[in-house]
Amino acid sequence: MGRKVTVATCALNQWALDFEGNLQRILKSIEIAKHKGARYRLGPELEICGYGCWDHYYESDTLLHSLQVLAALLESPVTQDIICDVGMPIMHRNVRYNCRVIFLNRKILLIRPKMALANEGNYRELRWFTPWSRSRQTEEYFLPRTIQDLTKQETVPFGDAVLSTRDTCIGSEVCEELWTPHSPHVDMGLDGVEIFTNASGSHHVLRKAHARVDLVTTATTKNGGIYLLANQKGCDGDRLYYDGCALIAMNGSIFAQGSQFSLDDVEVLTATLDLEDVRSYRAEISSRNLAASRVSPYPRVKVDFALSCHEDLLEPLSEPVEWKYHSPAEEISLGPACWLWDFLRRSQQVCEAVKHGSQEVLADVRTIVNQTSYTPQDPRELCGRILTTCYMASENSSRETCNRARDLAQQIGSHHIGLNIDPAVKAVLGIFSLVTGKSPAFAAYGGSSRESLALQNVQARVRMVIAYLFAQLSLWSRGAPGRLLVLGSTNVDESLLGYLTKYDCSSADINPIGGISKTDLRAFVQLCMERFQLPALQSILVAPATAELEPLAHRQVSQTDEEDMGVTYAELSVYGRLRKIAKMGPYSMFCRLLYVWKDVCTPRQVADKVKRFFSKYSTNRHKMTTLTPAYHAESYSPDDNRFDLRPFLYNTRWPWQFRCIETQVLQLERRQHQDLDGVD
């Protein structure tokens, strides 16, 4: 009697509205799954249309083309003799749902709508979809005629149900449902479901993989069972990078781990597991069995198909594996590089993928360098073909910084340009002087703070103009086709405080590090220095961060970022997490930091720091409306586009909030004086 089942899950690099490419990747994953002996295949959330369609979900075209792809899948011989579980939007009774469509041999078995929608942070699913709220209930879904012609079915079950095959029971969760306080797998497991599936569209955030794995292992530790998780991978068309991490678990252990950062478009995981291991594991948990005797049953869709084979005694079983995590520094080195590759980026990972035989990556490289016979062997050589670095010096730039830029460019192999922007800056200032008859001066030369800031901003904005000029014409000047993307380098802490000039050299096409804190970036630089043998990074690590926009003092840098901001980068990370993640305003933040910093700051100092942060943050919030699209990596990102939705016109004096802080400070100071008087 068969009891061993081989199941497959996958991570696919699907693209929003790329219906042709998405179809081919789905078919390829099914083909691989069947070749590995699987009889059930799970794919990522909304894989047919791509997860990141956003407001394109409103369009009837998106629904139509998704149905057309579903028809192509039903019709394909590749999908025969394997249960296929695919994701797509479905309109049911004029309501749009995020659904799983599960089919076998040209018959749709079940359409399972998502019941808990992700609607926080970067997610806006409630904007486009409605959650299915009728637990353990189904309705009849009338299939479109084009699908009816293929399946010979008029209606199929639509709702919260499970599949009952000849040998086991399968239940679906969709992404967010795993993260809810009472996930569907709890009651499904109590009702006898042995295989749980989760189709995800889960994007990368530093350290998020730990939470994802813990949720799955905890679920199967408490309730027993087999758990499959599929996920999107790659850049779906915006700031997010979906980091794969497909997995298969059973009874609290991991049996298959997918890659977190990969350039392969299709990755399929399989595991062969014994259903009797689930049954014997559950039999020992008396508290679970008592709860199971009281659970309300799920509607079951009977499927005349078995995941196991009769003759499976000699079939080898999969062994447990220990999950291998990347450090945050490694995540920074890999995540943005993979994200950038979807835009065009040099990375050591690209050469490694080619060496390992990835024909898709090799084809992309040859298209980018415009040479059909080119094969990259060395990351430095490839870097020289597709990455141009440019150091734009001014009279305020130090020789040390120029040397660091040159040395690093030599070590990574980029095509490096060194130039001086002083003629352009003087030309712009000359126009101003010609019109007004006034010549602004730096504070070091007797000018006002307004004059000094304007002179710094001119340098920064001239650099942006020059960067785009060279991006458009640098390849042309070398006799090569195409143009370059401009990469930004502002980090999340500087954006949070607004320590950047609007429309300056922080303006770019994309920013690979815009969602990463200065603290994590320093760890990333240290990792790169050691792993890629880049000694030039050592001098960059020890050098004080500086914009070098003010005059040098005795040929030495007279300006540092932290002095300019009046805040340390370490403090900024604290403010950022409390503001966004802990959702604190000025008064709540003051109260929290009063305790956290009690050993290093007086109440007055804490109050001054919090007031200074919120004053600068609110004054500069308008800059976030034009922030360069950046790789999303931190939960406290101030990205105004989708993630951190707040006004950009504030009363920057915060009179009510700051008065509450001041009241508390005065009370604490009076109490301290009374305590001292008591001691005397």
Side-chain angles (χ1 to χ4, degrees), residues 33 56 76 135 175 193 275 287 293 309 334 343 368 405 433 437 464 515 542 615:
H56 289 290
S76 171
S135 177
C175 198
V193 171
L275 293 171
S287 58
S293 68
C309 301
L334 296 168
F343 287 91
I368 289 165
S433 299
M464 184 270 287
V542 300
S615 294

Coordinates of all heavy atoms in Angstrom, one line a residue, residues 33 56 76 135 175 193 275 287 293 309 334 343 368 405 433 437 464 515 542 615:
A33 N 9.1 19.4 -12.1 CA 8.5 18.7 -11.0 C 8.1 17.3 -11.4 O 8.4 16.3 -10.6 CB 7.2 19.5 -10.5
H56 N -3.1 47.7 -12.1 CA -3.5 46.9 -13.3 C -4.5 45.8 -13.0 O -5.2 45.3 -13.9 CB -2.3 46.3 -14.0 CG -1.4 47.3 -14.7 ND1 -1.8 48.0 -15.8 CD2 -0.2 47.8 -14.3 CE1 -0.8 48.8 -16.2 NE2 0.1 48.7 -15.3
S76 N -2.2 22.2 -22.1 CA -0.8 21.7 -22.3 C -0.6 20.2 -21.8 O -1.1 19.9 -20.8 CB 0.2 22.6 -21.6 OG 1.5 22.0 -21.6
S135 N -15.9 31.2 6.1 CA -15.0 30.0 6.5 C -15.8 28.7 6.3 O -17.0 28.6 6.7 CB -14.6 30.2 8.0 OG -13.9 29.1 8.4
C175 N 0.0 33.0 1.4 CA 0.9 34.0 1.9 C 0.5 34.5 3.3 O 0.8 33.9 4.3 CB 1.0 35.1 0.9 SG 2.5 36.2 1.2
V193 N -6.2 17.3 7.5 CA -5.4 17.7 6.4 C -3.9 17.4 6.7 O -3.4 17.7 7.8 CB -5.5 19.2 6.1 CG1 -4.5 19.7 5.1 CG2 -6.9 19.5 5.6
L275 N 3.7 9.6 4.6 CA 2.5 10.0 5.2 C 2.3 9.4 6.6 O 1.8 10.0 7.5 CB 1.3 9.7 4.4 CG 1.2 10.5 3.1 CD1 0.0 10.0 2.2 CD2 1.0 12.0 3.3
S287 N -3.2 16.3 23.3 CA -4.0 17.6 23.3 C -4.5 18.0 21.9 O -5.6 18.5 21.8 CB -3.1 18.7 23.9 OG -1.9 18.8 23.1
S293 N -11.1 16.4 17.9 CA -12.4 15.8 18.0 C -13.6 16.8 18.1 O -14.7 16.4 17.9 CB -12.5 14.9 19.3 OG -12.4 15.7 20.4
C309 N 2.4 5.9 -4.9 CA 2.3 4.7 -5.8 C 2.2 3.5 -4.9 O 2.6 3.4 -3.8 CB 3.6 4.6 -6.6 SG 3.9 6.1 -7.6
L334 N 24.0 40.4 -1.6 CA 23.3 39.6 -2.6 C 22.0 40.1 -3.1 O 21.7 40.1 -4.3 CB 23.1 38.2 -2.1 CG 24.4 37.4 -1.7 CD1 24.0 36.2 -0.9 CD2 25.1 37.0 -3.0
F343 N 17.7 45.2 -13.7 CA 17.8 46.5 -14.4 C 19.0 46.6 -15.3 O 19.1 47.3 -16.3 CB 17.8 47.6 -13.4 CG 16.5 47.9 -12.7 CD1 16.2 47.3 -11.5 CD2 15.6 48.8 -13.2 CE1 15.0 47.5 -10.9 CE2 14.5 49.1 -12.6 CZ 14.1 48.5 -11.4
I368 N 23.4 42.6 -23.1 CA 23.8 43.8 -22.5 C 25.1 44.3 -23.1 O 25.2 45.5 -23.4 CB 23.9 43.6 -21.0 CG1 22.5 43.4 -20.4 CG2 24.6 44.8 -20.3 CD1 22.5 42.9 -19.0
A405 N 38.5 56.7 -4.3 CA 37.6 56.4 -5.5 C 38.4 55.7 -6.6 O 37.9 54.7 -7.2 CB 36.9 57.7 -6.0
S433 N 25.1 85.9 -10.4 CA 25.8 87.2 -10.2 C 25.4 88.3 -11.3 O 25.3 89.4 -11.0 CB 27.3 87.1 -10.0 OG 27.6 86.2 -9.0
G437 N 23.7 90.9 -9.4 CA 24.8 91.8 -8.9 C 25.4 91.3 -7.6 O 26.2 92.1 -7.0
M464 N 24.5 66.0 -10.5 CA 23.4 65.2 -11.0 C 23.3 65.4 -12.5 O 23.1 64.5 -13.3 CB 22.1 65.6 -10.4 CG 20.9 64.8 -10.8 SD 20.0 65.5 -12.2 CE 19.2 66.9 -11.5
G515 N 17.5 51.7 0.8 CA 16.6 51.2 1.9 C 17.5 50.5 3.0 O 16.9 49.8 3.8
V542 N 37.3 53.6 7.5 CA 37.8 54.4 8.7 C 37.7 55.9 8.4 O 37.8 56.7 9.4 CB 39.3 54.0 8.9 CG1 39.5 52.5 9.3 CG2 40.2 54.4 7.7
S615 N 12.1 68.0 14.2 CA 12.1 69.3 13.5 C 12.8 69.1 12.1 O 12.2 69.6 11.1 CB 12.9 70.3 14.3 OG 12.2 70.6 15.5

